[in-house]
């Protein structure tokens, strides 16, 4: 059997009933119909009603024809009901593969009834393809409702049409030619009903031009009295040009089946009243009534079971009753009614008296008993389904209760212990803040669980209302959860309050700690600074300085009361903290986080400051006394030094004047100076006394004295100079006397030299510098070189000598220099000057000087070289000398050596030199 679409292009299905291939010629309208939405709508309505008229026997129905057959379950059930056979066991899975399997089982069953299915596949039914689904249902209707119709050798569609024509023949305004427009005015339906049940319709009142009324009358009566469900709406038929043939055929086939039983009885059988009871296919009213009476108490038994299984078994039994036991009884009842009606009709037509069954076996008795059965059945099914729903709900609720309770109990586990912790008693402020945050989060969590607790209580309540058999244990568990929940609420509140209270206290303490730290730090710094200052060693040198220190110290002492107030305020803050800790039993974790300074430290430092103040007072007093003493020593020294210093100065100047001014003879000056020397020596004790005072000053470590500009050093140096100067001056005068006497210089010459010397000794130092010496020589008539170097160098001096009439080279100049400046000091003293001048002016033997000069030039040799003379002397002088010398012939002679000793011989008698 092929369920797949070998002919996709064919949008129709073939029903092959074997010999009667009556559908072939219908291909055209079949195709059209499937394309017309109005017909599709009519088919959908009719087929749904037709299916439901059978499915209700199994206690179910469909809403939507293409949706409700998709899983194949109701499709299989429909086939079971209309065939009275059991199909293969359906698959209960929800997957597509299960659904396809079920639909295939149904299609296989249809095929097994000799129906050839073309282009109807299980996939399309499962996918909810409307056209395919309608085609399949039409196939089922054809096979099970129309194929077996047989009237006067014609069967199926033709048989049904012929049956309609025969039945409506007596009605002049009815003409049935087909299954579409022949039925539009509704009279055909009414005629069929009136023909079989004249008491149900007043046919004479019907009008051909009122199709709506006719159709509605027929459909309503059929539904109410003939158990034919309404398969179309009057509007559907009136509103279309040509009603759908399949829909009309289906509807009409239901009328055929409702009345056909009576036909079968009445066809060609002699009229016999006893047939009602004895006709072989006719059931007995007695056995039917007996069955009804037996069945009703079973259907009225409403004792519920505790378990789902027991209730489902009851439902299974009921379904068996519906599917297996009741259908034959329906058939029996129907048969009885048809037989009875047929009999009465025939009796009436034969003008015979109506038939009256025996008491209690009337058609009405059967109907009323049947009505009770249907009522009990309807109630029983409702009760069963409600019970099952209740048990399902109970099972579901109980499971839900257990789940939610388990989740809740798992969540609450340990929460009470957690809430009763006293961890906040040892927490710091930051810990408390963290605990509060954590607790807030817990409160949110708790609030979020409120819903679950309410749900648990609501489920327990519902279980009670639904009379759950295990309610007591559910209630006990629920009560426990609610009690614990209340307890959690109380504990949460308590913990919240405790945490907030502790936070407030710790914040207060923290605030106080901060204030303590802010004030203690500067105060501590101040005390440390004060201690440092009070212990600071001071170095002062004056009364003013010590007075400054004393004033500052007094000012500092004046600030102490204010400082003490601040100290007490700071300690007050600490005491406040201590009081809070004591009053509220706060467990203080650790110490002040903002400072390491504590009250003990503050007090210790304060005591130290208090102790240092009088010590400082004492030190300042002592220093003041010391400075006063120092001042006295300074003044004592200054008073003397200011006298001695000027005295030494004066004496120095006086001595200078004596040696320069030359009052009287040298001997007078000498006498004058010796008196001076005596008066100076007599002054010594004053110097010694000053030394004593200086010793005291040094011992007192005094380094400065604003009362005098003289230091002991100055005085000592001045004194030494004074002694040296007087001694030197006396010595100079003595030497001058010796020179004068030895050289025979007159006093006037001496005075002229002195005047000239003094004139150029501008700084009155008693010595001439080279520059001064040069100027002095010029004033005495010497012509000297003028390079103004500030010194008289060899060249200058040689020029000076030449200007005095000397005519010589380097050697002679060196000789004179060695006389006037023997120590090479670059200065010429008055004494040296006089010596030189006295020698130059005396009649000294110049030949000796010349010879000495030659000796200097020759050095360690016994001869002199002509080249040396030429180098040292101007050319004419050199040649002059060479001409007067004989060659040297000693053992160490060299070429050009001259015997300078021979020069002296040549000189005697030469006056121009």
């Amino acid at each position: 059997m092929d369920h797949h679409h070998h002919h996709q292009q064919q949008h129709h299905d073939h029903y092959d009933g074997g010999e009667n291939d009556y559908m072939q010629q219908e291909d055209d309208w079949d195709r059209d119909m499937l394309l017309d939405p109005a017909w599709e709508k009519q088919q959908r309505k009719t087929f749904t009603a037709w299916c439901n008229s059978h499915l209700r026997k199994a206690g179910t129905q469909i809403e939507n024809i293409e949706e409700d057959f998709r899983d194949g379950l109701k499709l299989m059930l429909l086939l079971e009901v209309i065939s009275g056979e059991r199909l293969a066991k359906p698959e209960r899975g929800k997957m597509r593969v299960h659904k396809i399997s079920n639909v295939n089982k149904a299609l296989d069953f249809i095929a097994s009834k000799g129906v050839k299915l073309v282009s109807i596949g299980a996939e399309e039914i499962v996918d909810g393809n409307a056209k395919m689904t309608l085609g399949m249902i039409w196939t089922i209707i054809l096979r099970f409702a129309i194929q077996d119709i047989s009237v006067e050798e014609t069967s199926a569609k033709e048989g049904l049409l012929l049956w309609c024509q025969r039945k409506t023949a007596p009605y002049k305004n009815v003409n049935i030619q087909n299954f579409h427009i022949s039925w539009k005015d509704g009279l055909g339906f009414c005629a069929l009903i009136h023909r079989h049940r004249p008491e149900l319709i007043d046919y004479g009142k019907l009008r051909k031009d009122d199709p709506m009324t006719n159709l509605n009358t027929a459909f309503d009566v059929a539904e109410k009295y003939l158990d034919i469900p309404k398969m179309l709406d009057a509007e559907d038929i009136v509103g279309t040009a040509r009603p759908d043939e399949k829909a009309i055929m289906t509807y009409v086939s239901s009328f055929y089946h409702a009345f056909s039983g009576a036909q079968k009885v009445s066809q060609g059988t002699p009229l016999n009243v006893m047939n009602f009871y004895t006709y072989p296919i006719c059931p007995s009213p007695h056995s039917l009534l007996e069955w009804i009476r037996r069945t009703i108490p079973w259907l009225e038994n409403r004792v519920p079971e505790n378990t789902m299984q027991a209730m489902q078994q009851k439902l299974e039994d009921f379904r068996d009753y519906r599917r297996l036991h009741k259908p034959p009884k329906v058939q029996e009842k129907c048969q009885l009614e048809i037989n009875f009606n047929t009999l009465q009709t025939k009796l009436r037509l034969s003008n015979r008296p109506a038939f009256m069954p025996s008491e209690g076996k009337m058609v009405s008795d059967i109907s009323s008993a049947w009505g009770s059965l249907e009522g009990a059945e309807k109630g029983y099914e409702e009760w069963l389904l409600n019970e099952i729903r209740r048990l399902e709900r109970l099972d579901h609720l109980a499971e839900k209760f257990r789940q939610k309770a388990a989740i809740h109990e798992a969540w609450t586990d340990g929460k009470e212990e957690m809430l009763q912790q006293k961890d906040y008693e040892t927490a710091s402020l930051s810990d408390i803040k963290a605990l509060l945050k954590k607790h807030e989060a817990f409160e949110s969590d708790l609030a979020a669980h409120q819903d679950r607790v309410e749900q648990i209580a609501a489920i327990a309540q519902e279980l009670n209302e639904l009379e759950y058999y295990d309610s007591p244990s559910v209630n006990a568990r629920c009560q426990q959860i609610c009690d614990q929940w209340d307890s959690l609420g109380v504990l949460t509140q308590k913990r919240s309050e405790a945490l907030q209270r502790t936070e407030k206290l710790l914040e207060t303490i923290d605030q106080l700690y901060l204030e303590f730290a802010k004030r203690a730090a500067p105060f501590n710094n101040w005390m440390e600074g004060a201690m440092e200052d009070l212990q600071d060693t001071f170095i002062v040198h004056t009364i003013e300085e010590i007075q400054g220190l004393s004033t500052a110290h007094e000012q500092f002492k004046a600030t102490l009361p204010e400082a003490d107030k601040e100290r007490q305020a700071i300690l007050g803050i600490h005491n406040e903290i201590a009081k809070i800790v004591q009053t509220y039993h706060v467990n203080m974790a650790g110490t002040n986080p903002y400072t390491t300074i504590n009250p003990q430290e503050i007090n210790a430092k304060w005591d130290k400051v208090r102790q240092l103040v009088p010590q400082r007072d004492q030190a300042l007093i002592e220093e003041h006394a010391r400075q006063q003493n120092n001042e006295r020593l300074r003044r004592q020294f200054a008073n003397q030094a200011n006298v001695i210093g000027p005295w030494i100065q004066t004496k120095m100047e006086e001595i200078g004047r004596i040696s320069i001014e030359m009052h009287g003879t040298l001997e007078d000056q000498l006498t004058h100076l010796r008196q001076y020397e005596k008066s100076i020596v007599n002054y010594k004790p004053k110097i010694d006394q000053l030394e004593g005072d200086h010793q005291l000053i040094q011992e007192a470590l005094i380094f400065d004295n604003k009362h005098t500009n003289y230091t002991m050093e100055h005085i000592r140096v001045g004194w030494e100079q004074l002694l040296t100067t007087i001694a030197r001056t006396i010595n100079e005068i003595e030497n001058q006397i010796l020179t004068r006497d030895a050289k025979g210089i007159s006093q006037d010459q001496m005075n002229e030299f002195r005047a000239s010397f003094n004139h150029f000794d501008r700084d009155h130092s008693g010595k001439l510098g080279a520059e001064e010496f040069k100027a002095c020589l010029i004033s005495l008539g010497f012509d000297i070189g003028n390079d103004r170097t500030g010194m008289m160098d060899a060249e200058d001096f040689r020029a000076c000598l030449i200007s005095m009439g000397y005519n010589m080279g380097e050697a002679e100049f060196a000789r004179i220099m060695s006389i006037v400046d023997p120590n090479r000091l670059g200065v010429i003293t008055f004494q040296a000057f006089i010596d030189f001048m006295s020698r130059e002016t005396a009649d000294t033997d110049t030949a000796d000087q010349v010879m000495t000069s030659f000796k200097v030039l020759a050095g360690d040799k016994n001869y002199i070289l002509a080249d040396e003379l030429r180098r040292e002397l101007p050319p004419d002088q050199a040649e002059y000398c060479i001409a007067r010398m004989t060659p040297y012939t000693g053992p160490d002679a060299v070429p050009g050596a001259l015997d300078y000793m021979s020069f002296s011989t040549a000189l005697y008698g030469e006056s121009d030199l």
Side-chain angles (χ1 to χ4, degrees), residues 575-646:
N575 295 339
E576 213 175 319
I577 296 170
K579 208 187 318 175
I580 292 173
V581 171
Q582 210 176 347
T583 312
Y584 297 102
H585 308 295
V586 185
N587 187 332
M588 284 313 299
T591 51
N592 190 333
Y594 303 112
T595 182
T596 52
I597 304 163
N598 57 41
Q600 294 75 13
E601 205 179 323
I602 289 174
N603 283 334
K605 285 183 183 172
W606 177 253
D607 293 344
K608 180 77 172 155
V609 169
R610 297 280 300 278
Q611 188 187 330
L612 288 170
V613 169
Q615 291 176 12
R616 183 69 162 189
D617 286 337
Q618 191 54 38
L620 287 169
I621 290 165
E622 286 168 10
E623 184 60 30
H624 198 267
R626 197 168 74 80
Q627 286 304 326
Q628 279 179 319
N629 187 47
N630 286 358
E631 190 60 19
R632 190 179 52 72
L633 289 173
R634 283 194 191 95
R635 286 184 190 280
Q636 197 174 309
F637 177 85
N639 291 341
Q640 293 180 74
N642 288 342
V643 173
I644 293 170

Side-chain angles (χ1 to χ4, degrees), residues 807-827:
N807 197 354
M808 71 185 70
E810 188 69 44
E812 182 58 12
F813 172 60
R815 182 184 66 79
I816 294 168
M817 246 347 238
S818 71
I819 296 165
V820 291
D821 183 13
N823 296 324
R824 311 250 171 98
L825 297 173
V827 289

Side-chain angles (χ1 to χ4, degrees), residues 514-800:
L514 186 57
E515 199 184 331
F516 178 89
K518 278 182 179 168
R519 287 175 73 173
F523 186 67
N524 187 52
N525 283 349
W526 175 84
M527 286 197 299
E528 283 176 351
M531 280 155 61
E532 215 176 302
D533 293 346
L534 288 169
Q535 292 174 99
D536 199 10
T537 52
F538 47 78
I539 299 170
V540 288
H541 303 110
T542 67
I543 293 267
E544 290 75 33
E545 284 176 3
I546 193 66
Q547 280 168 343
L549 284 176
S550 297
T551 309
H553 184 57
E554 288 309 316
Q555 285 170 347
F556 167 74
K557 286 203 289 190
T559 65
L560 289 176
E562 206 41 54
D564 195 26
K565 258 194 226 162
E566 177 62 8
R567 177 182 68 93
Q568 284 168 348
I570 292 167
L571 296 179
I573 296 170
H574 187 79
N575 295 339
E576 213 175 319
I577 296 170
K579 208 187 318 175
I580 292 173
V581 171
Q582 210 176 347
T583 312
Y584 297 102
H585 308 295
V586 185
N587 187 332
M588 284 313 299
T591 51
N592 190 333
Y594 303 112
T595 182
T596 52
I597 304 163
N598 57 41
Q600 294 75 13
E601 205 179 323
I602 289 174
N603 283 334
K605 285 183 183 172
W606 177 253
D607 293 344
K608 180 77 172 155
V609 169
R610 297 280 300 278
Q611 188 187 330
L612 288 170
V613 169
Q615 291 176 12
R616 183 69 162 189
D617 286 337
Q618 191 54 38
L620 287 169
I621 290 165
E622 286 168 10
E623 184 60 30
H624 198 267
R626 197 168 74 80
Q627 286 304 326
Q628 279 179 319
N629 187 47
N630 286 358
E631 190 60 19
R632 190 179 52 72
L633 289 173
R634 283 194 191 95
R635 286 184 190 280
Q636 197 174 309
F637 177 85
N639 291 341
Q640 293 180 74
N642 288 342
V643 173
I644 293 170
W647 183 86
I648 291 173
Q649 192 70 32
T650 312
K651 289 291 171 252
M652 287 285 280
E653 286 165 5
E654 286 173 356
I655 292 164
R657 274 203 297 283
I658 291 169
S659 67
I660 288 163
E661 286 167 2
M662 304 174 295
H663 292 304
T665 62
L666 290 172
E667 281 77 7
D668 294 341
Q669 290 174 27
L670 196 57
T671 309
H672 199 167
L673 283 169
R674 289 227 162 90
Q675 286 168 351
Y676 252 93
E677 192 176 24
K678 202 169 173 189
S679 75
I680 289 166
V681 171
N682 290 340
Y683 203 75
K684 179 86 166 71
K686 290 200 173 176
I687 302 289
D688 294 341
Q689 192 187 343
L690 193 62
E691 281 284 9
D693 288 350
H694 178 64
Q695 185 62 33
L696 290 174
I697 278 181
Q698 280 197 313
E699 284 167 6
L701 298 174
I702 300 166
F703 302 113
D704 60 331
N705 192 341
K706 65 178 180 183
H707 305 299
T708 179
N709 291 327
Y710 294 103
T711 64
M712 196 65 226
E713 208 53 45
H714 281 135
I715 302 284
R716 281 193 203 120
V717 171
W719 179 251
E720 293 298 331
Q721 270 183 337
L722 185 59
L723 293 177
T724 312
T725 304
I726 193 77
R728 196 185 67 231
T729 309
I730 289 170
N731 178 253
E732 277 178 2
I733 300 292
E734 286 172 340
N735 283 345
Q736 283 172 30
I737 291 171
L738 284 174
T739 305
R740 184 194 64 190
D741 293 350
K743 308 287 183 185
I745 295 170
S746 67
Q747 185 64 42
D748 289 346
Q749 269 181 314
M750 188 58 102
N751 288 351
E752 190 194 343
F753 291 154
R754 167 54 77 183
S756 186
F757 188 93
N758 283 356
H759 177 72
F760 288 100
D761 179 17
R762 294 196 173 85
D763 59 359
H764 308 305
S765 64
K767 300 187 185 79
L768 288 182
E771 201 46 44
E772 292 168 333
F773 183 45
K774 196 190 292 173
C776 177
L777 290 174
I778 291 166
S779 77
L780 290 169
F782 290 89
D783 178 16
I784 293 174
N786 54 0
D787 63 354
R788 298 289 178 266
T789 60
M791 293 182 291
M792 201 164 186
D793 59 16
E795 276 307 307
D796 293 339
F797 191 51
R798 190 189 309 144
C800 170

Side-chain angles (χ1 to χ4, degrees), residues 273 276-277 285 336 340 343-344 354-366:
V273 173
F276 185 58
Y277 295 105
L336 277 170
F340 181 75
L343 186 63
Q344 298 292 46
F355 165 68
M356 281 299 289
S358 58
E359 188 58 47
K361 294 184 187 138
M362 306 278 285
V363 171
S364 61
D365 293 331
I366 292 169

Side-chain angles (χ1 to χ4, degrees), residues 405-425:
I407 290 169
H408 181 75
E409 285 158 353
W411 180 80
T412 57
D413 186 42
K415 294 284 188 289
E416 285 172 296
E417 294 78 354
M418 185 266 287
L419 289 170
Q420 284 165 316
Q421 278 177 306
K422 294 269 195 287
D423 47 1
Y424 52 82
E425 288 182 350

